[in-house]
Amino acid sequence: MADESRINISNAAEIVTARRQGRVLAVQLGFDGSELTVIATAISEIARNILEHAKDGEVIISRCNHRRKCGICVVARDSGPGIADIDQAMQYGYSTHKGLGIGLPGTKLLMDEFHIVSVVGQGTTVTMKKWRH
Amino acid sequence: MQVPILKQGNYLIASVQSALSDDDLRLLRDDLSDRVGRFRSTGVIIDVTALDVIDSFATRTLQSVAQMLKLRGAYTVIVGIRPDVAFVMVQLGLTLADVGAALDLEEALEHLNRRSHKPNEYRTMRTGDPRGSARGGGAPSRPTLSGVNRRQDQDEKPRSGHASPRSLEHGR
Amino acid sequence: MKRIVRRKPQNRDGVHPKAPSDEAKDVLLPQFVEHLRQNRTELCEQWITHIAQAELLTGMSEEETLTEATSVYDNYVEALESGSVEVLQAYARKLCDRIIPRGGETHEVVEIVLLLRDTLARSLLRKYQNDFKVFNIVLDAYEPAANRIANAVAVSFVQQQEEAIRKLSTPVLQVRERLLILPIIGVLDTRRARQLTEQLLRGIRDRRAKVVVVDITGVPVIDSKVANHLVQTVEASRLMGASVIITGMSSEIAQTLVTLGVDLSKVNTVGDLQGGIEEAERLLGYEVLRDPPCAGMEGHTGEKYASTHS
Ligand SMILES: Nc1ncnc2c1ncn2[C@@H]1O[C@H](COP(=O)(O)OP(=O)(O)OP(=O)(O)O)[C@@H](O)[C@H]1O
Ligand SMILES: [Mg+2]
């Protein structure tokens, strides 16, 4: 069982690949029901952000443990323009691209942990986790 | 990947087969818009049973397709949103405004039939009045008795050669 | 049964302009009740066959099933005749108590009552098959009565068998075609709330439900999490094409929701479960009335295969 997969994101088909990989690993880790769709959708959102706002980047999906907990960890990285005001970007309905502005705040709600680091001119990294309950 | 579109009477049915790229969706939108104009369709059914994820991008696109079709005089019903997908969509905060929803094709056709047999709604829909679609959605509105009879009469006329006594009464 | 149910509104407004309900109530329904009494043995047997076919009450012996079924039958006919469902309700409660220890589930009772409704409707059809006019009149009287009985039984056991429902693995109950009830009992935690919603949404798809009644009479307190969850459930059901009615909201809970600022504008609430089921039936009746276009739709479907595959 491959505990980590890395998917380059530079076109829409790769977003589909990333969320499929996420689903596969989540099943292996024992997630079930709507949690699988939660994980796939979260991956879809941040991979989509890479494509829409940074053109290309990568998504890394892996298993993670904390004490006795086991879960899935998703990292999305790009070297795009970065986000100047993260608080603003995390607000419901804020979008610079005529989007719904739901991607970032919505994904944060879906996952158990969500961190975003961004440097203007250097890029953005989103790290998020979902624990198996 | 292109989305196949079927014409069925006054309606169009588009079955989304797999996750769509921006280009696919743009194509679908233009295709539907073109055909709604050409066939004077009053309803469009978009079947998304095949989608295992509907994220904010897909929602936004479906909604914009529906809004554009509305301006062209057609009402859109989304069909086959899976249980898990529906649940995640609401957790994300996504809803489909201006769009009807139905469990399957049969239901969607019924939904559209019901709409097109409501005279005033029909009118607002054709003129693209935004109020005309404000009540989209799966929840049927409270029927009024006169509305019920009227719709039935309309239904009966084209089917049976002669109108029932009741509908004659109404017709006068 | 589907076809039969759909016939009703059409002929009420169309074929028989002079509403014949009084005649039906006074003359024809008693006639039908008499018919049911005379053919008791035969109809009971038919019904039991249907119960067996539906694999209900498998934990009970043939003899037990026959005894219980005959007794339900008698109570049922009595309820039809008198229009009073209390006796049957009381009996259903006792029946639940008896079948649950034997591995039966409470929702089976409702399904069984629905099977009886259908068995009798078929018998009705046979009896009046040569006179469709009379058939329609009797059906007009029978069907609402039969549905009222089924609903009353459902309500009685939902209220009385909270404990049993709590233990049900799938507490989503089907009262009749296209109508589901989700009784929520006890305090919800996030995990349980998620499971309930998942079950409900799958139930909607699997049983093609059009209306769902979520009864929260058994929920003592509500916090913002659970409240939001309720709203999410309503919204998700809508995305699948079903409407939700929430019943049993106490004034305390209503107040809490207002205080929490939960947006209930899109939520359809009705006082109690019985009222909720009635409202649901009205919504479904509205759907049923829409069936004439559905018959036209069959024409469309043919058309689709004939002309649009090009
Ligand atoms: N990887 C990224 N690189 C640069 N900017 C980003 C990135 N991700 C998000 N942003 C910025 O944050 C804003 C909010 O993102 P969010 O995903 O919430 O909304 P959106 O992508 O604009 O619309 P939606 O996701 O609803 O379709 C974006 O409009 C964009 O300006
Ligand atoms: Mg986004």
mmCIF file of all heavy atoms in Angstrom, chain C residues 189-221:
data_model
loop_
_atom_site.group_PDB
_atom_site.id
_atom_site.type_symbol
_atom_site.label_atom_id
_atom_site.label_comp_id
_atom_site.label_asym_id
_atom_site.label_seq_id
_atom_site.Cartn_x
_atom_site.Cartn_y
_atom_site.Cartn_z
ATOM 1 N N ASP C 189 -25.166 13.654 18.943
ATOM 2 C CA ASP C 189 -23.801 14.155 18.844
ATOM 3 C C ASP C 189 -23.469 14.239 17.351
ATOM 4 O O ASP C 189 -24.248 13.808 16.503
ATOM 5 C CB ASP C 189 -22.813 13.257 19.591
ATOM 6 C CG ASP C 189 -22.885 11.816 19.121
ATOM 7 O OD1 ASP C 189 -23.252 11.603 17.951
ATOM 8 O OD2 ASP C 189 -22.590 10.917 19.910
ATOM 9 N N THR C 190 -22.327 14.803 17.046
ATOM 10 C CA THR C 190 -22.006 15.062 15.643
ATOM 11 C C THR C 190 -21.991 13.782 14.820
ATOM 12 O O THR C 190 -22.508 13.727 13.710
ATOM 13 C CB THR C 190 -20.630 15.743 15.543
ATOM 14 O OG1 THR C 190 -20.566 16.717 16.561
ATOM 15 C CG2 THR C 190 -20.441 16.393 14.200
ATOM 16 N N ARG C 191 -21.408 12.749 15.416
ATOM 17 C CA ARG C 191 -21.271 11.511 14.676
ATOM 18 C C ARG C 191 -22.637 10.897 14.363
ATOM 19 O O ARG C 191 -22.914 10.493 13.247
ATOM 20 C CB ARG C 191 -20.424 10.543 15.509
ATOM 21 C CG ARG C 191 -20.118 9.252 14.820
ATOM 22 C CD ARG C 191 -19.450 8.307 15.826
ATOM 23 N NE ARG C 191 -19.554 6.928 15.365
ATOM 24 C CZ ARG C 191 -18.726 6.397 14.492
ATOM 25 N NH1 ARG C 191 -17.766 7.112 13.963
ATOM 26 N NH2 ARG C 191 -18.863 5.135 14.113
ATOM 27 N N ARG C 192 -23.485 10.871 15.379
ATOM 28 C CA ARG C 192 -24.800 10.279 15.174
ATOM 29 C C ARG C 192 -25.628 11.121 14.211
ATOM 30 O O ARG C 192 -26.358 10.600 13.375
ATOM 31 C CB ARG C 192 -25.521 10.142 16.524
ATOM 32 C CG ARG C 192 -26.490 8.997 16.506
ATOM 33 C CD ARG C 192 -27.205 8.819 17.810
ATOM 34 N NE ARG C 192 -28.602 8.529 17.502
ATOM 35 C CZ ARG C 192 -29.628 9.167 18.021
ATOM 36 N NH1 ARG C 192 -29.423 10.140 18.882
ATOM 37 N NH2 ARG C 192 -30.837 8.835 17.673
ATOM 38 N N ALA C 193 -25.477 12.414 14.342
ATOM 39 C CA ALA C 193 -26.213 13.296 13.438
ATOM 40 C C ALA C 193 -25.803 13.025 11.992
ATOM 41 O O ALA C 193 -26.643 12.954 11.097
ATOM 42 C CB ALA C 193 -25.946 14.752 13.804
ATOM 43 N N ARG C 194 -24.507 12.845 11.788
ATOM 44 C CA ARG C 194 -24.027 12.571 10.431
ATOM 45 C C ARG C 194 -24.615 11.263 9.908
ATOM 46 O O ARG C 194 -25.087 11.181 8.783
ATOM 47 C CB ARG C 194 -22.488 12.493 10.426
ATOM 48 C CG ARG C 194 -21.919 12.100 9.087
ATOM 49 C CD ARG C 194 -20.405 12.213 9.053
ATOM 50 N NE ARG C 194 -19.710 11.177 9.800
ATOM 51 C CZ ARG C 194 -19.337 10.003 9.263
ATOM 52 N NH1 ARG C 194 -19.600 9.740 8.022
ATOM 53 N NH2 ARG C 194 -18.697 9.112 9.996
ATOM 54 N N GLN C 195 -24.601 10.249 10.777
ATOM 55 C CA GLN C 195 -25.131 8.952 10.345
ATOM 56 C C GLN C 195 -26.605 9.040 9.990
ATOM 57 O O GLN C 195 -27.052 8.464 9.005
ATOM 58 C CB GLN C 195 -24.909 7.907 11.433
ATOM 59 C CG GLN C 195 -23.469 7.449 11.492
ATOM 60 C CD GLN C 195 -23.210 6.584 12.706
ATOM 61 O OE1 GLN C 195 -24.013 6.540 13.635
ATOM 62 N NE2 GLN C 195 -22.072 5.888 12.701
ATOM 63 N N LEU C 196 -27.352 9.764 10.823
ATOM 64 C CA LEU C 196 -28.782 9.909 10.553
ATOM 65 C C LEU C 196 -29.018 10.551 9.196
ATOM 66 O O LEU C 196 -29.836 10.093 8.403
ATOM 67 C CB LEU C 196 -29.441 10.755 11.644
ATOM 68 C CG LEU C 196 -29.797 10.048 12.940
ATOM 69 C CD1 LEU C 196 -30.364 11.036 13.938
ATOM 70 C CD2 LEU C 196 -30.806 8.932 12.670
ATOM 71 N N THR C 197 -28.273 11.616 8.934
ATOM 72 C CA THR C 197 -28.457 12.298 7.656
ATOM 73 C C THR C 197 -28.075 11.388 6.496
ATOM 74 O O THR C 197 -28.780 11.318 5.486
ATOM 75 C CB THR C 197 -27.608 13.579 7.606
ATOM 76 O OG1 THR C 197 -27.954 14.376 8.718
ATOM 77 C CG2 THR C 197 -27.871 14.351 6.334
ATOM 78 N N GLU C 198 -26.969 10.684 6.653
ATOM 79 C CA GLU C 198 -26.551 9.774 5.578
ATOM 80 C C GLU C 198 -27.630 8.734 5.305
ATOM 81 O O GLU C 198 -27.971 8.446 4.157
ATOM 82 C CB GLU C 198 -25.241 9.074 5.953
ATOM 83 C CG GLU C 198 -24.038 9.974 5.815
ATOM 84 C CD GLU C 198 -22.749 9.266 6.190
ATOM 85 O OE1 GLU C 198 -22.781 8.058 6.495
ATOM 86 O OE2 GLU C 198 -21.700 9.938 6.186
ATOM 87 N N GLN C 199 -28.172 8.195 6.384
ATOM 88 C CA GLN C 199 -29.211 7.179 6.217
ATOM 89 C C GLN C 199 -30.440 7.755 5.533
ATOM 90 O O GLN C 199 -31.024 7.142 4.654
ATOM 91 C CB GLN C 199 -29.616 6.606 7.576
ATOM 92 C CG GLN C 199 -28.704 5.488 8.014
ATOM 93 C CD GLN C 199 -28.914 5.147 9.471
ATOM 94 O OE1 GLN C 199 -29.705 5.787 10.171
ATOM 95 N NE2 GLN C 199 -28.216 4.138 9.939
ATOM 96 N N LEU C 200 -30.788 8.942 5.956
ATOM 97 C CA LEU C 200 -31.973 9.571 5.376
ATOM 98 C C LEU C 200 -31.774 9.815 3.882
ATOM 99 O O LEU C 200 -32.633 9.491 3.061
ATOM 100 C CB LEU C 200 -32.281 10.891 6.080
ATOM 101 C CG LEU C 200 -33.474 11.641 5.492
ATOM 102 C CD1 LEU C 200 -34.754 10.883 5.773
ATOM 103 C CD2 LEU C 200 -33.570 13.050 6.026
ATOM 104 N N LEU C 201 -30.619 10.368 3.531
ATOM 105 C CA LEU C 201 -30.384 10.708 2.128
ATOM 106 C C LEU C 201 -30.331 9.452 1.265
ATOM 107 O O LEU C 201 -30.847 9.429 0.149
ATOM 108 C CB LEU C 201 -29.097 11.522 1.978
ATOM 109 C CG LEU C 201 -29.114 12.891 2.669
ATOM 110 C CD1 LEU C 201 -27.772 13.586 2.533
ATOM 111 C CD2 LEU C 201 -30.216 13.773 2.101
ATOM 112 N N ARG C 202 -29.727 8.404 1.802
ATOM 113 C CA ARG C 202 -29.728 7.151 1.031
ATOM 114 C C ARG C 202 -31.128 6.577 0.935
ATOM 115 O O ARG C 202 -31.522 6.032 -0.086
ATOM 116 C CB ARG C 202 -28.777 6.138 1.663
ATOM 117 C CG ARG C 202 -27.384 6.426 1.165
ATOM 118 C CD ARG C 202 -26.335 5.569 1.807
ATOM 119 N NE ARG C 202 -25.127 6.370 1.897
ATOM 120 C CZ ARG C 202 -24.176 6.219 2.778
ATOM 121 N NH1 ARG C 202 -24.265 5.261 3.679
ATOM 122 N NH2 ARG C 202 -23.135 7.015 2.772
ATOM 123 N N GLY C 203 -31.872 6.730 2.037
ATOM 124 C CA GLY C 203 -33.263 6.273 2.023
ATOM 125 C C GLY C 203 -34.059 6.988 0.939
ATOM 126 O O GLY C 203 -34.875 6.391 0.251
ATOM 127 N N ILE C 204 -33.801 8.284 0.796
ATOM 128 C CA ILE C 204 -34.513 9.052 -0.224
ATOM 129 C C ILE C 204 -34.246 8.464 -1.595
ATOM 130 O O ILE C 204 -35.152 8.264 -2.400
ATOM 131 C CB ILE C 204 -34.079 10.535 -0.188
ATOM 132 C CG1 ILE C 204 -34.635 11.204 1.065
ATOM 133 C CG2 ILE C 204 -34.551 11.271 -1.441
ATOM 134 C CD1 ILE C 204 -34.166 12.631 1.258
ATOM 135 N N ARG C 205 -32.979 8.155 -1.848
ATOM 136 C CA ARG C 205 -32.664 7.611 -3.169
ATOM 137 C C ARG C 205 -33.230 6.193 -3.336
ATOM 138 O O ARG C 205 -33.917 5.896 -4.294
ATOM 139 C CB ARG C 205 -31.157 7.592 -3.398
ATOM 140 C CG ARG C 205 -30.816 7.163 -4.819
ATOM 141 C CD ARG C 205 -29.363 6.798 -4.974
ATOM 142 N NE ARG C 205 -28.941 5.883 -3.924
ATOM 143 C CZ ARG C 205 -27.674 5.586 -3.674
ATOM 144 N NH1 ARG C 205 -26.721 6.149 -4.383
ATOM 145 N NH2 ARG C 205 -27.352 4.746 -2.708
ATOM 146 N N ASP C 206 -32.944 5.344 -2.358
ATOM 147 C CA ASP C 206 -33.322 3.934 -2.515
ATOM 148 C C ASP C 206 -34.830 3.739 -2.589
ATOM 149 O O ASP C 206 -35.310 2.848 -3.262
ATOM 150 C CB ASP C 206 -32.759 3.101 -1.358
ATOM 151 C CG ASP C 206 -31.237 3.099 -1.379
ATOM 152 O OD1 ASP C 206 -30.671 3.513 -2.421
ATOM 153 O OD2 ASP C 206 -30.624 2.716 -0.367
ATOM 154 N N ARG C 207 -35.561 4.563 -1.853
ATOM 155 C CA ARG C 207 -37.016 4.359 -1.843
ATOM 156 C C ARG C 207 -37.742 5.436 -2.627
ATOM 157 O O ARG C 207 -38.944 5.606 -2.492
ATOM 158 C CB ARG C 207 -37.514 4.314 -0.404
ATOM 159 C CG ARG C 207 -36.766 3.239 0.379
ATOM 160 C CD ARG C 207 -37.397 2.986 1.705
ATOM 161 N NE ARG C 207 -36.381 2.733 2.715
ATOM 162 C CZ ARG C 207 -36.635 2.552 3.986
ATOM 163 N NH1 ARG C 207 -37.875 2.613 4.418
ATOM 164 N NH2 ARG C 207 -35.673 2.327 4.832
ATOM 165 N N ARG C 208 -36.990 6.172 -3.401
ATOM 166 C CA ARG C 208 -37.546 7.214 -4.261
ATOM 167 C C ARG C 208 -38.529 8.113 -3.499
ATOM 168 O O ARG C 208 -39.641 8.366 -3.961
ATOM 169 C CB ARG C 208 -38.230 6.588 -5.481
ATOM 170 C CG ARG C 208 -37.288 5.743 -6.327
ATOM 171 C CD ARG C 208 -37.893 5.334 -7.649
ATOM 172 N NE ARG C 208 -37.976 6.427 -8.583
ATOM 173 C CZ ARG C 208 -39.107 6.851 -9.144
ATOM 174 N NH1 ARG C 208 -40.245 6.291 -8.836
ATOM 175 N NH2 ARG C 208 -39.098 7.830 -10.001
ATOM 176 N N ALA C 209 -38.090 8.569 -2.361
ATOM 177 C CA ALA C 209 -38.987 9.382 -1.542
ATOM 178 C C ALA C 209 -39.124 10.781 -2.108
ATOM 179 O O ALA C 209 -38.199 11.324 -2.686
ATOM 180 C CB ALA C 209 -38.460 9.451 -0.113
ATOM 181 N N LYS C 210 -40.310 11.313 -1.921
ATOM 182 C CA LYS C 210 -40.595 12.652 -2.424
ATOM 183 C C LYS C 210 -40.761 13.608 -1.250
ATOM 184 O O LYS C 210 -40.486 14.780 -1.355
ATOM 185 C CB LYS C 210 -41.892 12.589 -3.239
ATOM 186 C CG LYS C 210 -42.158 13.727 -4.130
ATOM 187 C CD LYS C 210 -41.543 13.514 -5.510
ATOM 188 C CE LYS C 210 -41.764 14.710 -6.396
ATOM 189 N NZ LYS C 210 -40.769 15.728 -6.359
ATOM 190 N N VAL C 211 -41.233 13.085 -0.156
ATOM 191 C CA VAL C 211 -41.420 13.901 1.037
ATOM 192 C C VAL C 211 -40.861 13.149 2.251
ATOM 193 O O VAL C 211 -41.016 11.937 2.360
ATOM 194 C CB VAL C 211 -42.914 14.218 1.287
ATOM 195 C CG1 VAL C 211 -43.057 15.169 2.460
ATOM 196 C CG2 VAL C 211 -43.571 14.810 0.053
ATOM 197 N N VAL C 212 -40.213 13.889 3.127
ATOM 198 C CA VAL C 212 -39.663 13.303 4.339
ATOM 199 C C VAL C 212 -40.184 14.077 5.533
ATOM 200 O O VAL C 212 -40.161 15.306 5.527
ATOM 201 C CB VAL C 212 -38.121 13.386 4.336
ATOM 202 C CG1 VAL C 212 -37.561 12.821 5.618
ATOM 203 C CG2 VAL C 212 -37.542 12.675 3.130
ATOM 204 N N VAL C 213 -40.670 13.344 6.529
ATOM 205 C CA VAL C 213 -41.080 13.996 7.763
ATOM 206 C C VAL C 213 -40.020 13.702 8.824
ATOM 207 O O VAL C 213 -39.775 12.544 9.149
ATOM 208 C CB VAL C 213 -42.459 13.493 8.249
ATOM 209 C CG1 VAL C 213 -42.831 14.171 9.559
ATOM 210 C CG2 VAL C 213 -43.528 13.747 7.199
ATOM 211 N N VAL C 214 -39.356 14.746 9.304
ATOM 212 C CA VAL C 214 -38.371 14.566 10.366
ATOM 213 C C VAL C 214 -39.043 14.975 11.671
ATOM 214 O O VAL C 214 -39.406 16.137 11.854
ATOM 215 C CB VAL C 214 -37.114 15.431 10.110
ATOM 216 C CG1 VAL C 214 -36.123 15.275 11.262
ATOM 217 C CG2 VAL C 214 -36.454 15.038 8.798
ATOM 218 N N ASP C 215 -39.221 14.000 12.559
ATOM 219 C CA ASP C 215 -39.931 14.275 13.804
ATOM 220 C C ASP C 215 -38.926 14.446 14.938
ATOM 221 O O ASP C 215 -38.190 13.514 15.269
ATOM 222 C CB ASP C 215 -40.890 13.126 14.120
ATOM 223 C CG ASP C 215 -41.702 13.413 15.375
ATOM 224 O OD1 ASP C 215 -42.269 14.512 15.464
ATOM 225 O OD2 ASP C 215 -41.738 12.548 16.264
ATOM 226 N N ILE C 216 -38.899 15.639 15.527
ATOM 227 C CA ILE C 216 -37.916 15.877 16.581
ATOM 228 C C ILE C 216 -38.571 15.976 17.958
ATOM 229 O O ILE C 216 -37.999 16.538 18.887
ATOM 230 C CB ILE C 216 -37.069 17.142 16.287
ATOM 231 C CG1 ILE C 216 -37.943 18.379 16.150
ATOM 232 C CG2 ILE C 216 -36.251 16.963 15.024
ATOM 233 C CD1 ILE C 216 -37.144 19.676 16.116
ATOM 234 N N THR C 217 -39.779 15.384 18.062
ATOM 235 C CA THR C 217 -40.451 15.378 19.363
ATOM 236 C C THR C 217 -39.536 14.800 20.436
ATOM 237 O O THR C 217 -39.544 15.247 21.579
ATOM 238 C CB THR C 217 -41.734 14.518 19.290
ATOM 239 O OG1 THR C 217 -42.457 14.886 18.124
ATOM 240 C CG2 THR C 217 -42.586 14.721 20.515
ATOM 241 N N GLY C 218 -38.745 13.800 20.046
ATOM 242 C CA GLY C 218 -37.913 13.112 21.022
ATOM 243 C C GLY C 218 -36.566 13.770 21.265
ATOM 244 O O GLY C 218 -35.684 13.173 21.877
ATOM 245 N N VAL C 219 -36.387 14.964 20.767
ATOM 246 C CA VAL C 219 -35.115 15.661 21.000
ATOM 247 C C VAL C 219 -35.303 16.670 22.127
ATOM 248 O O VAL C 219 -36.046 17.633 21.999
ATOM 249 C CB VAL C 219 -34.648 16.391 19.720
ATOM 250 C CG1 VAL C 219 -33.338 17.124 19.959
ATOM 251 C CG2 VAL C 219 -34.492 15.397 18.583
ATOM 252 N N PRO C 220 -34.656 16.428 23.280
ATOM 253 C CA PRO C 220 -34.890 17.284 24.445
ATOM 254 C C PRO C 220 -34.268 18.676 24.302
ATOM 255 O O PRO C 220 -34.881 19.672 24.656
ATOM 256 C CB PRO C 220 -34.242 16.515 25.593
ATOM 257 C CG PRO C 220 -33.242 15.604 24.951
ATOM 258 C CD PRO C 220 -33.734 15.314 23.576
ATOM 259 N N VAL C 221 -33.058 18.718 23.820
ATOM 260 C CA VAL C 221 -32.390 20.020 23.680
ATOM 261 C C VAL C 221 -31.736 20.105 22.318
ATOM 262 O O VAL C 221 -31.501 19.100 21.655
ATOM 263 C CB VAL C 221 -31.284 20.210 24.747
ATOM 264 C CG1 VAL C 221 -31.883 20.482 26.090
ATOM 265 C CG2 VAL C 221 -30.352 19.022 24.764
#
